[in-house]
Amino acid sequence: MAVLVDKNTRVLTQGITGATGQFHTRACKEYGTQMVAGVTPGKGGTRFDDIPIFDTVAQAVAATGADTSVLYVPPAFTADAMMEAADAGLELIISITEGVPAMDMVRVKRYLEGKRPRLLGPNCPGIMTPGECKIGIMPGHIYRRGPVGVVSRSGTLTYEAVDQLTRLGLGQSTCIGIGGDPVHGLGFIDVLKLFNEDRETEAAVMIGEIGGTAEEEAAAWVKANMKKPVVGFIVGQTAPPGKRMGHAGAIISGGKGTAKEKLEAMRRAGIRTAPSPALIGQTMLETLKEANVRGKA
Amino acid sequence: MNIHEYQAKEILKRYGIQVPRGSVATTAQEAGRIARELGGVCVVKAQIHAGGRGKAGGVKLVKSPAEAEAVAAGLLGKKLITHQTGPQGREVRRLLVEEGLNIERELYLAVVLDRAVSRVSVIGSAEGGVEIEEVAQKSPEKILKEVVDPAVGLQPFQARRMAYALGLAQERVGAFVSLVQGLARAFVELDCSLAEINPLVVTREGKVLALDAKMNFDNNALFRHPEIVALRDLTEEDPKEYQASELGLSYISLDGDIGCMVNGAGLAMGTMDIIKQYGGEPANFLDVGGGATQERVTEAFKILLSDKQVKGVLVNIFGGIMRCDVIAQGVVNAAREVRLAVPLVVRLQGTNVEQGRAILSESGLAIMPAETMAEAAEKIVTAVKGKLQNAK
């Protein structure tokens, strides 16, 4: 088991004819992901490698049975592509694109209400179930299969954490990037719920950053509901207020959304926080050891 | 992106929102002339991109055109220091001269992107003229909120509900409702990230006006608003931050002396944090992005070294899919091109990491390699400070 994606996931790429779409579609296919279709309006009937390309998502789904879409579409067209994917009845939509207007995402989320698909992103690295399915731009070789679920707002910091885990012999069940934008699809709580119910996942790493209150809300949820240990980390402890730190959502505004508040909320909820970004893996190792001791006692 | 108060007021007027009569002055004489036209009693307001102008002496009531001219002469060219400008302050280059009003009540009104519900919300409070964060902390029950359904927009009943909750007299409700609807419409149509009127005033004559106005815009949506981009005032921005944004790099100036160059916003923040943990102070946030090419690395280097405070540089790249040998070559070329004269620590992880490290060590440059983030932070802090402080 794992969550959201596995070896049976059938993926279509929206924006498959762009350089980024091509590069990562090929890399994911090489990893072993079933990349079954591509969509670029006007390129229907052609192929990329041996992957058939369609004009519309609905055509691609009908012809190939794709259940998941990954979007490498320019920011101005991302909202439209997300809604097209939702309309075609996919299960999961993953948007890698950075720079999507927040108001577009407000409209997309309204459109998705009551509809089937789950949305990941935008501005996220994607999702990975090691050994089975890689969808997105992450480096597959640093991941190993195992008991730790990872959820994060950041891309390269997730790679850093995963690399630490793997080097310590701790594999991952599924690693999920929820993205660095203020308005996005699945959030920390949605993913932690999945980890909580997943038999393979024994513990979760949650990596947050400054801005918004999603980490505080997730901490409260963990305290009330989570049956498995959670290790937390927040970046941006040295970030000045009022400045957007790269990610559109990483900003301390009106004194709210500081790393300090988030770390305190995590600690109050019984989440063990890593003392530094270099010690996320180590903190998880200690947490699992303790959980094992408790489990055996 | 931020704009000035006078620019925000021009936009609000287009959305049917009343603002005090007034004009912008760039000289003291001009300020005097505008005051004369407005009839003498006026308010002279410094136009800078920062809050807290009133307390810092940037907003002054004047009783005559002569006084307006004298006050303007004192403000123009002056560095105004508020709690939002930092200790260096901001130079006042423009003044907004507005008519004085007979104020009956001061209210707070804002439209915000409400991240918790992924929607736009209208915030109102009877406590106008003070910072909303203060109200939120002391008396959260005084803050009113209406969430906007993006399918239909803000409805009149929502604005009415707020008007009654604020205790507005019946004859002011109509004007308030149309103002709130105008502000919500402006927010959505112009892709704002904040549209704030603080205070919103009711005059003794019964008018409802925006006495102050602040508008911020979503940078991600500027591509579809050239008219907003035209309002950008570069004199209000850090030149290094502007230069970086033109190159597609994300750079923020900080006060420390260790320059950092990192790929990815989260890792960049993490790198700043770990420098601090080892007792150092980061000089900047710099995200070179996922596709850090040789050229981008060189440009990034130039920008971070243009900060004369920088006494050492930490490069932290988790290459992932990117090849470390390519990045290493970029770092070496950049260091040569800019004739790097300060200690440089490079931490590389990812594909071809061995070749990458070989390029660094064979370059003949005094580059200190590091395996992990912690080692990298320790090395650069030691190199800059001579020893570790508060090491954890």
Side-chain angles (χ1 to χ4, degrees):
Chain A
M1 288 252 298
V3 304
L4 293 174
V5 298
D6 59 25
K7 59 181 187 296
N8 300 315
T9 303
R10 296 173 67 77
V11 185
L12 71 84
T13 300
Q14 283 174 265
I16 196 168
T17 48
T20 313
Q22 290 190 344
F23 181 86
H24 291 291
T25 298
R26 203 172 268 157
C28 291
K29 193 173 162 66
E30 277 163 15
Y31 189 81
T33 308
Q34 294 197 54
M35 302 303 299
V36 298
V39 172
T40 297
K43 297 278 169 65
T46 62
R47 281 179 180 267
F48 168 68
D49 291 348
D50 58 341
I51 302 169
I53 300 177
F54 301 86
D55 289 319
T56 70
V57 177
Q59 287 168 356
V61 170
T64 67
D67 51 35
T68 295
S69 175
V70 60
L71 281 66
Y72 300 98
V73 174
F77 312 111
T78 296
D80 182 46
M82 285 173 175
M83 291 189 273
E84 184 183 3
D87 181 71
L90 296 169
E91 286 173 27
L92 181 63
I93 302 164
I94 301 154
S95 172
I96 309 300
T97 309
E98 178 168 10
V100 180
M103 208 57 68
D104 286 6
M105 288 311 303
V106 168
R107 293 184 191 105
V108 167
K109 288 200 77 175
R110 175 70 170 89
Y111 182 82
L112 286 175
E113 274 175 28
K115 292 191 171 62
R116 183 181 183 211
R118 287 168 155 140
L119 172 69
L120 261 187
N123 194 9
C124 84
I127 180 168
M128 171 90 167
T129 293
E132 293 196 36
C133 182
K134 166 179 130 79
I135 307 173
I137 57 175
M138 64 289 274
H141 62 92
I142 61 169
Y143 293 74
R144 292 291 177 280
R145 193 59 176 269
V148 181
V150 179
V151 57
S152 171
R153 274 168 75 183
S154 147
T156 45
L157 186 63
T158 311
Y159 311 160
E160 174 71 41
V162 164
D163 189 53
Q164 290 172 21
L165 289 168
T166 297
R167 283 165 193 264
L168 291 166
L170 293 172
Q172 306 89 40
S173 54
T174 302
C175 299
I176 298 175
I178 57 172
D181 279 1
V183 181
H184 55 87
L186 292 185
F188 284 118
I189 297 177
D190 302 306
V191 175
L192 290 168
K193 268 183 193 166
L194 296 170
F195 287 150
N196 209 20
E197 285 151 22
D198 175 43
R199 270 182 299 152
E200 187 184 340
T201 305
E202 289 171 26
V205 174
M206 171 185 161
I207 301 172
E209 59 192 32
I210 54 162
T213 53
E215 289 84 356
E216 287 90 327
E217 286 146 28
W221 185 89
V222 164
K223 187 167 189 188
N225 303 288
M226 194 79 181
K227 297 175 296 208
K228 302 171 183 181
V230 179
V231 164
F233 188 69
I234 304 287
V235 278
Q237 303 182 30
T238 48
K243 292 278 191 180
R244 224 164 273 279
M245 305 302 283
H247 284 159
I251 179 166
I252 299 168
S253 49
K256 298 300 278 181
T258 62
K260 189 161 170 271
E261 284 176 303
K262 290 170 189 292
L263 286 165
E264 275 165 14
M266 282 181 160
R267 288 185 197 120
R268 276 199 303 275
I271 295 172
R272 188 191 287 215
T273 55
S276 114
L279 293 171
I280 298 170
Q282 187 60 36
T283 308
M284 177 51 83
L285 187 68
E286 285 160 17
T287 303
L288 279 174
K289 269 186 194 156
E290 275 175 31
N292 265 333
V293 170
R294 271 204 305 278
K296 279 168 192 151
Chain B
M1 193 193 109
N2 297 339
I3 59 172
H4 288 292
E5 173 196 3
Y6 77 91
Q7 296 168 320
K9 283 179 168 170
E10 287 301 317
I11 292 173
L12 294 184
K13 277 201 265 183
R14 295 210 310 266
Y15 282 87
I17 295 172
Q18 286 202 56
V19 301
R21 290 183 302 134
S23 292
V24 175
T26 52
T27 65
Q29 293 78 356
E30 230 179 321
R33 181 180 55 76
I34 295 164
R36 204 165 300 120
E37 284 166 13
L38 291 171
V41 179
C42 285
V43 181
V44 178
K45 306 177 85 177
Q47 299 294 291
I48 56 167
H49 286 185
R53 292 171 299 167
K55 277 184 196 151
V59 179
K60 293 204 165 128
L61 182 71
V62 295
K63 300 218 166 56
S64 68
E67 197 186 347
E69 198 168 325
V71 162
L75 278 173
L76 284 166
K78 187 186 160 186
K79 293 231 165 157
L80 208 57
I81 300 168
T82 84
H83 68 286
Q84 288 185 4
T85 58
Q88 73 281 9
R90 289 272 171 80
E91 189 183 334
V92 180
R93 295 160 196 269
R94 287 184 199 80
L95 302 167
L96 177 59
V97 184
E98 285 186 337
E99 61 176 336
L101 299 171
N102 294 311
I103 295 166
E104 187 180 270
R105 281 192 73 186
E106 295 195 0
L107 307 167
Y108 176 92
L109 183 71
V111 183
V112 300
L113 180 67
D114 194 342
R115 297 168 66 152
V117 291
S118 294
R119 294 215 170 158
V120 169
S121 286
V122 179
I123 310 284
S125 162
E127 309 260 314
V130 287
E131 286 189 34
I132 195 71
E133 294 83 25
E134 237 171 81
V135 184
Q137 219 159 36
K138 283 187 199 146
S139 34
E141 74 287 351
K142 285 188 180 159
I143 292 180
L144 308 165
K145 183 162 123 175
E146 293 288 343
V147 178
V148 181
D149 184 332
V152 294
L154 182 78
Q155 293 301 295
F157 82 86
Q158 295 180 290
R160 265 198 316 272
R161 184 157 59 194
M162 191 173 272
Y164 289 122
L166 289 170
L168 286 177
Q170 184 57 45
E171 59 272 25
R172 317 270 186 269
V173 170
F176 180 83
V177 167
S178 72
L179 185 145
V180 176
Q181 284 195 291
L183 192 65
R185 211 157 45 83
F187 185 98
V188 172
E189 287 180 7
L190 302 175
D191 282 290
C192 293
S193 48
L194 174 71
E196 183 183 67
I197 299 178
N198 186 25
L200 175 73
V201 298
V202 181
T203 65
R204 294 210 190 99
E205 296 80 20
K207 279 200 211 165
V208 183
L209 303 97
L211 194 64
D212 198 355
K214 182 177 176 184
M215 291 181 106
N216 296 343
F217 299 88
D218 177 4
N219 287 354
N220 287 350
L222 289 176
F223 69 85
R224 59 190 177 203
H225 300 291
E227 80 286 7
I228 301 296
V229 176
L231 302 177
R232 188 169 180 179
D233 180 357
L234 295 181
T235 62
E236 289 285 333
E237 297 183 30
D238 180 303
K240 291 193 290 293
E241 289 178 17
Y242 171 70
Q243 196 192 342
S245 74
E246 288 292 290
L247 293 162
L249 301 164
S250 188
Y251 175 94
I252 308 282
S253 279
L254 300 170
D255 298 329
D257 52 12
I258 297 178
C260 359
M261 183 171 94
V262 189
N263 66 329
L267 194 63
M269 279 187 272
T271 304
M272 285 160 43
D273 292 351
I274 202 166
I275 287 173
K276 179 96 173 176
Q277 277 191 342
Y278 277 90
E281 291 288 340
N284 65 279
F285 165 94
L286 174 53
D287 172 11
V288 287
T293 60
Q294 211 159 291
E295 293 72 34
R296 283 167 73 91
V297 168
T298 309
E299 291 304 325
F301 245 99
K302 284 184 190 161
I303 290 169
L304 76 84
L305 288 172
S306 68
D307 178 352
K308 295 300 164 221
Q309 286 190 67
V310 169
K311 296 195 184 72
V313 176
L314 171 51
V315 174
N316 183 15
I317 303 282
F318 202 108
I321 272 171
M322 283 189 315
R323 282 163 46 206
C324 288
D325 48 337
V326 174
I327 296 158
Q329 198 57 57
V331 170
V332 167
N333 292 355
R336 284 209 180 105
E337 190 174 330
V338 302
R339 297 173 190 279
L340 186 74
V342 295
L344 169 64
V345 173
V346 179
R347 186 269 182 142
L348 287 178
Q349 258 325 319
T351 312
N352 292 352
V353 65
E354 293 311 321
Q355 290 97 305
R357 292 197 184 131
I359 290 170
L360 294 180
S361 66
E362 286 156 17
S363 67
L365 293 164
I367 298 173
M368 288 174 270
E371 186 105 1
T372 65
M373 263 177 99
E375 188 194 334
E378 190 176 338
K379 279 188 170 163
I380 193 65
V381 172
T382 311
V384 168
K385 298 217 173 225
K387 62 178 170 27
L388 276 187
Q389 293 166 348
N390 321 320
K392 281 175 194 166

